[in-house]
Amino acid sequence: MTAASRERPDSPQSPATATLDKAADENFPVAPFFLPRAWRDDLMAVYGFARLVDDIGDGDLAPGGADARLLGVSPERADDRLAMLDAFEADLRRVFDATPRHPLLCALQPTVRRRSLTPEPFLGLIEANRQDQLVTRYETYDDLLAYCELSANPVGRLVLALTGTATPERIRRSDAVCTGLQIVEHLQDVAEDLGRDRVYLPAEDMKQFHVQESDLAAPTAGASVRALVAFEAERALRLLNEGTSLVGSVHGRLKLLLAGFVAGGKAAVHAITAASYDVLPGPPRPTKLQLLREVGATLRGEG
């Protein structure tokens, strides 16, 4: 009996449980109740993968080393993020041709087979987290967009693949939405990212707005930081608006799901705006009512 078969994702003691529970903290609904059960299962399987690879890259795994043991990493290397990512990639490849070790990847395997998914989007997410270990600053906005191509866009492409709705135009619109969502998340988490020695605000923009890294460590944002955050928030909103037509290109419950993704990003931008662009005390987050209003506006094609 393998470790993965002994420790199922739905076990109360499983590290997978804590990973999947983080879905409730996202800016957008991951697998809402109104979707068919098969879609919900597939979306949560993909979310489990994406959340775990981010937790490995951020050093946010549950204490005790359970994930390292499941991936076959020795205890003395459990804190080596690159080693963990290498082991995780090796286990991902087993999803496509063997039996994976980690319970979240065991849960992903039926989805991969049922939906004929390819390794590329999953590998992109792993590579983004490798990049996080090696690159902690971005000189230009284009550099940041290239990072988002790895860290965010594969998620939207997977959603389209899971629902059998991928077309070149929908992928293009989805990429705009996902990049916008990623930039919004970076804006919400400026202080947290700085604590990890990462800055996702492009250096050329910081220079333009006369912002130093020391300004990002302050308890509250000064005028220059607020102006910079407002500039980046407008960029994110433009991307979200560019991708909004994706919602109108599909029908039924998928339309509502995609509206939730877009609305989550727009509502987060509005929350940042309502905080006068002061993101340093903590992530400005929209209320559920604000999110619902934004979903309605997105479905009506407003904004």
Side-chain angles (χ1 to χ4, degrees), residues 141-216:
Y141 182 60
D142 285 343
D143 292 339
L144 184 63
L145 293 181
Y147 169 74
C148 292
E149 178 69 22
L150 295 172
S151 68
N153 297 359
V155 176
R157 296 183 182 199
L158 283 167
V159 171
L160 294 176
L162 289 176
T163 56
T165 54
T167 67
E169 179 60 17
R170 284 180 180 144
I171 289 172
R172 188 179 75 82
R173 299 290 184 179
S174 171
D175 285 352
V177 170
C178 290
T179 295
L181 287 169
Q182 180 76 88
I183 292 173
V184 172
E185 183 176 329
H186 288 329
L187 295 178
Q188 289 176 309
D189 294 340
V190 166
E192 179 182 337
D193 289 334
L194 186 65
R196 301 180 192 276
D197 191 30
R198 296 178 191 165
V199 178
Y200 293 102
L201 297 166
E204 65 178 9
D205 298 343
M206 292 177 63
K207 183 177 180 181
Q208 176 186 342
F209 285 90
H210 308 288
V211 171
Q212 305 292 325
E213 282 193 23
S214 58
D215 298 326
L216 305 181

Side-chain angles (χ1 to χ4, degrees), residues 209 211 221-228:
F209 285 90
V211 171
S224 296
V225 172
R226 292 176 193 240
L228 172 60

Side-chain angles (χ1 to χ4, degrees), residues 46-129:
V46 168
Y47 175 79
F49 169 88
R51 184 68 267 166
L52 181 58
V53 73
D54 279 354
D55 285 349
I56 293 173
D58 290 342
D60 283 342
L61 294 173
D67 291 294
R69 288 193 298 274
L70 287 165
L71 293 172
V73 176
S74 62
E76 59 270 19
R77 301 196 71 193
D79 292 330
D80 183 336
R81 298 180 192 178
L82 287 172
M84 287 286 291
L85 288 167
D86 288 346
F88 192 59
E89 179 178 331
D91 210 29
L92 168 69
R93 294 186 184 277
R94 295 185 192 101
V95 169
F96 293 88
D97 59 17
T99 301
R101 296 173 172 175
H102 198 285
L104 286 174
L105 294 180
C106 288
L108 180 64
Q109 191 169 50
T111 292
V112 163
R113 292 175 173 173
R114 184 164 53 246
R115 306 298 183 184
S116 301
L117 302 181
T118 63
E120 284 73 22
F122 299 103
L123 292 171
L125 294 171
I126 293 174
E127 189 58 33
N129 278 275

